[in-house]
Amino acid sequence: MNQSYTKAERNHVECVKRLPCSVCDQPGPSAAHHIKQSDAFTVVALCEDCHQGSHNGWHGRRAIWDVKKMDELSALNVTIRRLME
Ligand SMILES: [Zn+2]
Ligand SMILES: [Zn+2]
């Protein structure tokens, strides 16, 4: 994790990791995918498959993202909505 994060930013990332996957709804704990590495409030909760999976993952071929018609910002929207619930 980025050492320059404030306490509030680190706390936010920890809260996001407890959420279900923002793409496929698999229960947490999830990985925290950073849309922008330096910005803690751009983290998205993703399961291992939707994050790093070679077929489905954002860092792979993004198959499930295409099926669900999602991008990073729509996944961020789901993450933030769930945090506010
Ligand atoms: Zn997922
Ligand atoms: Zn990532």
Side-chain angles (χ1 to χ4, degrees):
M1 178 158 308
N2 190 321
Q3 292 301 311
S4 67
Y5 283 173
T6 65
K7 190 161 185 275
E9 287 170 330
R10 290 196 300 272
N11 185 51
H12 175 73
V13 172
E14 289 311 306
C15 289
V16 165
K17 286 179 177 171
R18 284 184 223 122
L19 294 173
C21 177
S22 299
V23 175
C24 75
D25 303 325
Q26 181 170 296
S30 297
H33 166 69
H34 290 68
I35 295 176
K36 191 173 173 191
Q37 193 62 42
S38 56
D39 292 348
F41 294 109
T42 69
V43 288
V44 176
L46 295 177
C47 72
E48 188 61 32
D49 194 38
C50 296
H51 187 215
Q52 304 276 17
S54 60
H55 183 67
N56 282 330
W58 180 260
H59 299 289
R61 278 184 275 149
R62 305 182 182 174
I64 196 169
W65 293 75
D66 288 344
V67 169
K68 303 249 180 194
K69 297 186 168 42
M70 290 185 74
D71 60 17
E72 283 180 309
L73 286 179
S74 48
L76 178 64
N77 192 67
V78 172
T79 295
I80 292 173
R81 185 203 308 134
R82 285 177 172 160
L83 276 177
M84 298 300 154
E85 280 171 355

